Amino acid sequence: MARKYRTPNTRDHQRIDADYLIKYQIKKDGETKITNVKDIGAGGLQFVAQEELPVWANLNLKILVPPLGRTVEAKARIIRTERTSRHGTTYSVAVRFTDIPDADRKSLDAFIKTLEDDPEAMIEIDHADFFVRKKKR
């Protein structure tokens, strides 16, 4: 029988599972890509990428956080990239914020603490209300 071992959470800020949209840009090439956040906290987040991103690369991020009613802009550094399946082409990318406005960090932290105290407080939002994709002509 295989045992599952959990490592202790050493993060400074608690994270929550999230399905928010994010735009990311690697500073050196400048191309902006849109994908989904997997989890988020006041210290960083994890998102899905369609390519392997280099560890320690710096990113510019724009994260749509509907419960806060705003887009959070931050700079971050990639701390881990893992392929999500053996034959897949998707990757899980973990980043630590290196520069985020104090008000946004505090708002994220307060929101997550509210959810810890009351899990029913999660707001369900249909992302279709926020984004409309254009059809290619």
Side-chain angles (χ1 to χ4, degrees), residues 101-132:
D102 243 10
D104 289 337
R105 186 184 305 273
K106 288 176 183 175
S107 294
L108 280 170
D109 212 23
F111 172 63
I112 291 164
K113 286 179 181 171
T114 299
L115 291 180
E116 284 179 12
D117 296 339
D118 181 10
E120 302 286 321
M122 180 58 89
I123 300 172
E124 297 279 331
I125 295 194
D126 180 2
H127 294 296
D129 291 342
F130 292 95
F131 292 95
V132 177

Side-chain angles (χ1 to χ4, degrees), residues 1-135:
M1 174 157 92
R3 283 190 170 181
K4 289 186 178 181
Y5 293 96
R6 290 191 66 151
T7 58
N9 182 358
T10 58
R11 292 183 178 127
D12 291 335
H13 303 278
Q14 188 66 24
R15 287 193 183 186
I16 59 165
D17 291 339
D19 187 23
Y20 306 148
L21 292 177
I22 182 173
K23 287 183 180 180
Y24 70 92
Q25 178 184 42
I26 297 178
K27 288 184 179 180
K28 65 179 181 182
D29 77 12
E31 185 179 353
T32 300
K33 300 192 177 177
I34 299 174
T35 189
N36 293 92
V37 171
K38 291 174 65 176
D39 64 48
I40 190 169
L45 57 82
Q46 192 169 10
F47 66 90
V48 177
Q50 300 301 314
E51 62 187 329
E52 186 172 12
L53 298 174
V55 175
W56 303 118
N58 292 312
L59 302 174
N60 292 319
L61 306 175
K62 290 184 181 181
I63 311 133
L64 175 66
V65 186
L68 298 181
R70 66 176 164 217
T71 298
V72 173
E73 293 190 31
K75 295 185 186 318
R77 176 167 289 139
I78 298 173
I79 56 172
R80 186 177 62 255
T81 300
E82 299 173 340
R83 190 182 343 226
T84 57
S85 66
R86 218 172 3 155
H87 302 292
T89 57
T90 58
Y91 295 83
S92 175
V93 180
V95 303
R96 178 178 300 133
F97 296 137
T98 57
D99 186 18
I100 182 172
D102 243 10
D104 289 337
R105 186 184 305 273
K106 288 176 183 175
S107 294
L108 280 170
D109 212 23
F111 172 63
I112 291 164
K113 286 179 181 171
T114 299
L115 291 180
E116 284 179 12
D117 296 339
D118 181 10
E120 302 286 321
M122 180 58 89
I123 300 172
E124 297 279 331
I125 295 194
D126 180 2
H127 294 296
D129 291 342
F130 292 95
F131 292 95
V132 177
R133 295 179 187 240
K134 290 184 178 181
K135 292 182 181 180

